[in-house]
Amino acid sequence: PLPARSALSAAEILRYSRQLVLPELGVRGQLRLARSSVLVVGCGGLGCPLAQYLAAAGVGRLGLVDHDVVETSNLQRQVLHGEARRGRPKARSAAAALRRLNSAVQYVPYRAALRPRSALRLVRQYDIVADCSDNVPTRYLVSDACVLAGKPLVSGSALRLEGQLVVYNYRGGPCYRCLFPEPPPPDTVTNCADGGVLGVVTGIIGCMQALEVLKIASGMGSSFNRHMLMFDALEGRFRNIKLRPRKADCAVCGDRPSITCLQDYEAFCGSSATDKCRSLRL
Amino acid sequence: PLPARSALSAAEILRYSRQLVLPELGVRGQLRLARSSVLVVGCGGLGCPLAQYLAAAGVGRLGLVDHDVVETSNLQRQVLHGEARRGRPKARSAAAALRRLNSAVQYVPYRAALRPRSALRLVRQYDIVADCSDNVPTRYLVSDACVLAGKPLVSGSALRLEGQLVVYNYRGGPCYRCLFPEPPPPDTVTNCADGGVLGVVTGIIGCMQALEVLKIASGMGSSFNRHMLMFDALEGRFRNIKLRPRKADCAVCGDRPSITCLQDYEAFCGSSATDKCRSLRL
Amino acid sequence: MAAPVSLQVEFGGGAELLFDGVKKHQVTLPCQPEPWDIRSLLKWIKQNLLKERPELFIQGESVRPGILVLINEADWELMGELDYKLQDQDNVLFISTLHGG
Amino acid sequence: MAAPVSLQVEFGGGAELLFDGVKKHQVTLPCQPEPWDIRSLLKWIKQNLLKERPELFIQGESVRPGILVLINEADWELMGELDYKLQDQDNVLFISTLHGG
Ligand SMILES: [Zn+2]
Ligand SMILES: [Zn+2]
C-alpha cells in the first residue's frame, strides 16, 4: 500500500467535498482511498469506465494493464480512447485520458498482457485487482494470482446485452476456481468480436466494478462477496444470486491446494489470451 | 428527426461492428440511432456518462444543456470535464470531450438553463429527452415540456448512495406529474452539494439512462415505462417497482389538462433552478 | 379483533434519516378492533418510530408530497392507497424521490 | 407416483441460443414413479427442449463446465446439485458465464 496520510489538503477537501460529506465515506474513507492501489487488468469496455470513476474518486494509484492498441471498433464502448488514439497502446492512452481528469492519481501503464511468469509479482504490488479482461485464460490467471497474493478480485464481464459481476477471494469467500473448477470447452466460448456487445452494458458493469472497488478500498465492504450480480439489459433487470462458499477442495484456495504457483493457462483452457482469434492451433 | 438514411458507410460498419452483430440492434437499429436526436438536460454527474455512451453508440445529434461552468468539486463525478476545463461552460466542455470520442455525431451545446419561455421550442427539435438535472423546478419543467411536445423522457437522479430512474410519457405511460402532482416542500429537498453523492452512483444511473435512450431510439422499447429502477449502492441492490398508469386527472397529461403551456416552475416549487443555494428568498 | 400484523417497513431515498438512519424495520402492529390499513400504519409510525420533525414525513393523514409509498414493490396507487388493508408479512417501502444529478 | 411439477426454466448468458433464443420456458414435467430431480430434469431438457448440439449444454449427466445452475436464485451447490428434488413452481436458471469485456 501507499504511505498512510493523516489529513487531506485544502484542495482535496474542495475536490472531493461531495463524497466527503457522506457519513459512509467521510475523511477517514477518503484517506483510505488515497492510499489504495488498484490493478486494472484490461483497458477495454469494462476497464475504461472503471478506471474513470476510480481516478475521479481519488484512489492513490492505478495500474493499467493492456497489451493491445486502440482500434476503430473499440470506440463504440472504450470511452477513454478517442479517435486520435487509434494505433496507440491502450494502457498509455487510458493513462493520458485519466491524467486530464485527475492528475493527483499515480498511473502506471503496463503495455503487455498479464503473463504467468510476471503476474504474481505485479499483483503483489496492488491492494485490489479488477478483472476487466476479455478471455478465459486471463480470468483463471488473474484469479489464481489473487489467491496466491491474497488480494480481493472484483471481476466483471459483458457480452451481447448481458453482464455479470462477482467479488472473489474476499473475506473468506470463494475464488473463480471454486465456481469454475474446469474451464469451458473452447468452442463454447464467445468473445465480443464474434458475439458483439452493446457498449453501455460494459459501462454499467464497469461502473458497478468501480463501486465495489471503492467500497472495499474505503472500508464499506462489498455486496458481491459470495454473490453474483446478473444484468439483462433488454429486460432492464438485475438479479443478485447467492453463490457457494469457498470450497475446501478447491485446487488453489482449498485446504490442500495443488496449485501453488502460476501455470500455463492457455494450455489449461485450450485458447489464447491475446489472439484476436481465440482458439489455439494445437 | 434527422434525415433517414438507407445504408451505413464502410467506416461506420467497422466502427459499430460490435453492436451491429447484435440481432436486437443490427443495421436497422443502427440506422435508427443515426437519425435520432437526444436532448440532454444537465451536463453533470448523470449527463456526462449518458452523453459519453450515446456518442460512442452513434446517435445522430446530441443537444447539451447546462448553464453552469466546470468547478473543482464537479470533477469527482463529472467525468467528461478535465481539470483544464475549470471555469469553462459545461455544455461546451462536454461537446469538446465528446467530439474527441466520436466526431461523426452532431453536438449542439446550449449554455443556458432550460427556461419555461424557450423549453418547448427546444424539446420539439429532439426525439428523446434525458433529464439529468439536479433540481425540482427543472424536473417539472422538463416533464411538462415533454408532455406538451409528445416526447419520451428518460429521467435519472442520484443522491448520496442511491439512484432512481423512470421513463415518463412513453407509449401511454404516466408523466412526472402523474406520480408527483404536488412538489415536495422546499425544505425537504436535499441537493448534491448538501447531501453529497458518490460519483460512481451517478455513473451507474447515467449509464442506465443511456441504455434506455438507446433502446427507445433503436426500437427495442424501454423496460422502465411505468416502472422505476431504484438502486442502493451500499447494498448493491436494484429493485424494479411497478408504478401507476397515466392518471386521467393529471393536470398536464390527463383527459382534461389544466396546464396547456409552460408555467413559472420556480414559483410552483418554491425553489430556484439555478442558484447554488436553492431556496427562493420570497 | 384483527390479529397482530407483522410487516417489514423500509425507508429510502433519505427518508431513513428521519428514523435514525435505519432503512429496515421489522414491525409488529398490535391487535386492534379494525383491520390495519396504511392510514392507521402512518399514525402508528408517527407515534412509535418517528422521533422528530414529523412534518418532513407526514402531511395531514397521508405522506408529504415527494414520498412514494410502495406496497410489496408496487406503487400504492395500484393497491388502494390509504385504504389498503395490510396483510401479515407485507413489505411497505417509503421512498423519498431524489432530484440530484 | 410423484405429481406433475410445474417449473419456470430460464436460460441466459448465451445458453438461450441453444433453445431458439427463448430465455423463459414454462415447463410441466409429467408424473413419474420417482420424484423429479435436477438429474432427471437435464435428461428431460435434452429430449424435449434442446434441439441441436447437446454437447454445448450437457456433459455426461451434468451441465458442461462454464454453465452455472441456479435454483430459486441460489447456486445449485447450496441445494444438492444433481440430487436436488424439484418442487412445484421452482425457478431453475442455467446461465452461461460471460468472459467478454
Ligand atoms: Zn477457490
Ligand atoms: Zn401526467
Side-chain angles (χ1 to χ4, degrees):
Chain A
L2 301 168
R5 293 167 47 195
S6 58
L8 297 169
S9 70
E12 288 172 316
I13 290 170
L14 174 59
R15 176 172 203 132
Y16 304 116
S17 53
R18 296 299 180 268
Q19 64 201 50
L20 291 172
V21 303
L22 299 170
E24 295 85 351
L25 188 77
V27 172
R28 186 190 164 112
Q30 189 69 43
L31 287 167
R32 285 184 180 160
L33 292 185
R35 65 179 299 204
S36 297
S37 55
V38 181
L39 185 67
V40 181
V41 181
C43 298
L46 299 167
C48 283
L50 169 95
Q52 202 170 33
Y53 282 97
L54 294 184
V59 299
R61 181 184 294 156
L62 280 176
L64 302 161
V65 180
D66 207 303
H67 73 283
D68 224 341
V69 297
V70 178
E71 293 175 29
T72 299
S73 64
N74 300 151
L75 298 175
Q76 154 263 13
R77 67 190 184 286
Q78 304 187 14
V79 291
L80 285 176
H81 313 304
E83 292 172 353
R85 303 277 178 188
R86 280 177 281 196
R88 305 269 288 275
K90 284 187 192 178
R92 281 195 218 145
S93 165
L98 295 166
R99 207 168 278 124
R100 284 200 296 263
L101 179 59
N102 192 345
S103 60
V105 175
Q106 295 175 28
Y107 304 101
V108 190
Y110 302 96
R111 186 197 168 173
L114 199 69
R115 293 287 182 195
R117 195 169 309 181
S118 53
L120 193 52
R121 203 174 52 220
L122 188 60
V123 164
R124 285 210 171 102
Q125 296 171 41
Y126 289 85
D127 300 316
I128 303 171
V129 179
D131 188 347
C132 303
S133 72
D134 63 352
N135 64 86
V136 185
T138 301
R139 293 193 179 270
Y140 279 98
L141 167 60
V142 172
S143 178
D144 283 1
C146 285
V147 171
L148 296 178
K151 308 289 181 178
L153 172 59
V154 180
S155 180
S157 58
L159 188 69
R160 300 188 191 96
L161 293 162
E162 291 184 73
Q164 296 171 355
L165 180 152
V166 185
V167 175
Y168 293 111
N169 200 42
Y170 180 60
R171 295 190 176 168
C175 82
Y176 190 72
R177 271 188 201 266
C178 291
L179 254 73
F180 307 108
E182 277 183 72
D187 55 344
T188 66
V189 175
T190 310
N191 60 33
C192 290
D194 296 337
V197 65
L198 192 67
V200 71
V201 175
T202 63
I204 291 160
I205 299 295
C207 283
M208 283 299 302
Q209 285 181 274
L211 171 63
E212 294 308 301
V213 169
L214 292 172
K215 284 160 66 180
I216 292 170
S218 66
M220 294 183 212
S222 172
S223 311
F224 296 101
N225 178 17
R226 266 195 76 186
H227 284 80
M228 177 185 282
L229 179 72
M230 286 178 25
F231 174 54
D232 184 318
L234 202 58
E235 290 187 29
R237 182 174 178 200
F238 294 86
R239 300 199 219 197
N240 291 24
I241 299 291
K242 187 170 186 200
L243 298 177
R244 66 198 68 176
R246 184 182 72 86
K247 295 191 73 171
D249 63 350
C250 175
V252 63
C253 81
D255 296 338
R256 275 183 301 278
S258 59
I259 297 172
T260 55
C261 61
L262 298 175
Q263 317 268 304
D264 181 342
Y265 295 88
E266 298 190 323
F268 175 63
C269 299
S271 60
S272 161
T274 52
D275 275 7
K276 305 282 168 192
C277 183
R278 296 284 177 204
S279 300
L280 275 193
R281 293 150 201 92
L282 293 172
Chain B
L2 301 169
R5 293 166 47 196
S6 58
L8 297 170
S9 69
E12 288 172 316
I13 289 171
L14 175 59
R15 178 172 201 133
Y16 305 117
S17 54
R18 297 299 180 267
Q19 64 201 50
L20 290 172
V21 302
L22 299 170
E24 295 85 353
L25 188 76
V27 171
R28 186 189 162 115
Q30 189 69 41
L31 287 168
R32 285 184 179 158
L33 291 185
R35 66 180 297 203
S36 297
S37 56
V38 181
L39 185 67
V40 181
V41 181
C43 299
L46 299 167
C48 282
L50 169 95
Q52 203 170 33
Y53 282 97
L54 295 184
V59 299
R61 182 184 293 156
L62 280 176
L64 302 160
V65 180
D66 208 304
H67 72 283
D68 225 340
V69 297
V70 178
E71 293 175 28
T72 300
S73 65
N74 300 152
L75 299 176
Q76 155 263 14
R77 67 190 183 286
Q78 303 186 16
V79 291
L80 284 176
H81 314 303
E83 292 173 353
R85 302 277 179 187
R86 281 177 280 197
R88 305 269 287 277
K90 285 187 192 178
R92 280 193 219 146
S93 165
L98 295 167
R99 207 167 278 123
R100 283 200 296 263
L101 179 59
N102 193 346
S103 59
V105 175
Q106 295 175 28
Y107 304 100
V108 190
Y110 302 95
R111 188 197 167 173
L114 199 69
R115 295 287 184 195
R117 196 169 307 181
S118 53
L120 193 52
R121 202 174 53 219
L122 188 60
V123 164
R124 284 210 172 102
Q125 295 172 39
Y126 290 85
D127 300 316
I128 303 171
V129 178
D131 187 346
C132 302
S133 71
D134 64 352
N135 65 86
V136 186
T138 302
R139 292 193 180 270
Y140 279 98
L141 166 58
V142 172
S143 178
D144 283 1
C146 285
V147 171
L148 296 178
K151 308 290 181 177
L153 171 59
V154 180
S155 179
S157 58
L159 188 70
R160 300 188 191 96
L161 293 162
E162 291 183 75
Q164 295 170 355
L165 179 150
V166 186
V167 174
Y168 293 111
N169 199 41
Y170 180 60
R171 294 189 176 170
C175 82
Y176 190 72
R177 272 188 199 266
C178 290
L179 255 73
F180 307 108
E182 277 183 72
D187 56 346
T188 67
V189 175
T190 310
N191 60 32
C192 290
D194 296 339
V197 66
L198 191 67
V200 71
V201 175
T202 63
I204 291 160
I205 299 296
C207 283
M208 283 300 300
Q209 285 182 273
L211 172 64
E212 294 309 301
V213 169
L214 292 172
K215 283 160 65 181
I216 292 170
S218 65
M220 294 183 214
S222 173
S223 311
F224 297 102
N225 177 19
R226 265 195 77 185
H227 283 81
M228 176 184 284
L229 180 72
M230 288 177 25
F231 175 52
D232 184 317
L234 201 58
E235 291 187 30
R237 184 174 177 199
F238 293 86
R239 298 200 221 198
N240 291 25
I241 299 292
K242 188 170 184 196
L243 298 177
R244 67 197 67 177
R246 184 181 73 86
K247 296 191 75 172
D249 63 349
C250 174
V252 64
C253 80
D255 296 337
R256 275 183 301 276
S258 59
I259 298 172
T260 54
C261 61
L262 297 175
Q263 317 267 304
D264 180 342
Y265 295 88
E266 298 189 324
F268 175 62
C269 300
S271 60
S272 162
T274 53
D275 276 8
K276 304 283 167 189
C277 183
R278 297 283 177 204
S279 300
L280 275 192
R281 293 147 200 94
L282 294 170
Chain C
M1 287 291 286
V5 178
S6 287
L7 305 174
Q8 172 150 282
V9 176
E10 292 186 75
F11 302 96
E16 74 280 6
L17 299 176
L18 301 169
F19 300 88
D20 292 328
V22 179
K23 289 193 163 181
K24 288 184 188 175
H25 300 250
Q26 293 298 335
V27 157
T28 303
L29 302 174
C31 297
Q32 66 168 26
E34 325 232 300
W36 283 94
D37 57 17
I38 299 285
R39 186 179 284 104
S40 50
L41 173 65
L42 285 172
K43 276 186 206 146
W44 185 91
I45 287 174
K46 187 172 172 180
Q47 279 159 18
N48 293 277
L49 292 182
L50 195 54
K51 299 302 158 56
E52 39 180 341
R53 308 196 64 191
E55 74 279 9
L56 297 184
F57 187 72
I58 305 255
Q59 188 172 97
E61 66 173 3
S62 190
V63 292
R64 66 143 172 95
I67 290 182
L68 274 182
V69 186
L70 305 162
I71 301 166
N72 302 325
E73 314 236 320
D75 190 344
W76 72 333
E77 265 255 340
L78 304 168
M79 317 285 281
E81 297 194 54
L82 291 168
D83 297 323
Y84 172 78
K85 300 280 178 285
L86 288 160
Q87 311 290 314
D88 200 49
Q89 304 307 320
D90 272 351
N91 176 294
V92 185
L93 168 58
F94 298 93
I95 188 108
S96 188
T97 49
L98 308 177
H99 309 94
Chain D
M1 285 292 285
V5 178
S6 286
L7 305 175
Q8 172 150 283
V9 176
E10 292 186 75
F11 302 96
E16 74 279 7
L17 299 176
L18 300 170
F19 300 88
D20 291 330
V22 179
K23 289 192 164 182
K24 289 185 189 175
H25 300 249
Q26 293 298 334
V27 158
T28 303
L29 301 174
C31 297
Q32 65 169 25
E34 323 230 301
W36 284 94
D37 56 17
I38 298 285
R39 186 179 285 107
S40 50
L41 173 64
L42 285 172
K43 275 185 207 146
W44 186 91
I45 287 174
K46 187 171 172 181
Q47 279 157 19
N48 293 276
L49 292 182
L50 194 54
K51 300 300 159 57
E52 40 181 339
R53 305 196 66 190
E55 73 280 9
L56 297 184
F57 187 72
I58 305 254
Q59 189 171 98
E61 66 173 3
S62 189
V63 293
R64 66 142 172 96
I67 290 182
L68 274 183
V69 185
L70 305 161
I71 301 165
N72 301 326
E73 313 236 321
D75 190 342
W76 72 334
E77 264 256 339
L78 304 168
M79 318 287 278
E81 298 193 56
L82 291 168
D83 297 324
Y84 172 79
K85 301 278 176 288
L86 288 160
Q87 311 290 313
D88 199 49
Q89 304 307 321
D90 273 349
N91 177 295
V92 184
L93 168 57
F94 298 92
I95 189 109
S96 187
T97 48
L98 309 176
H99 309 93

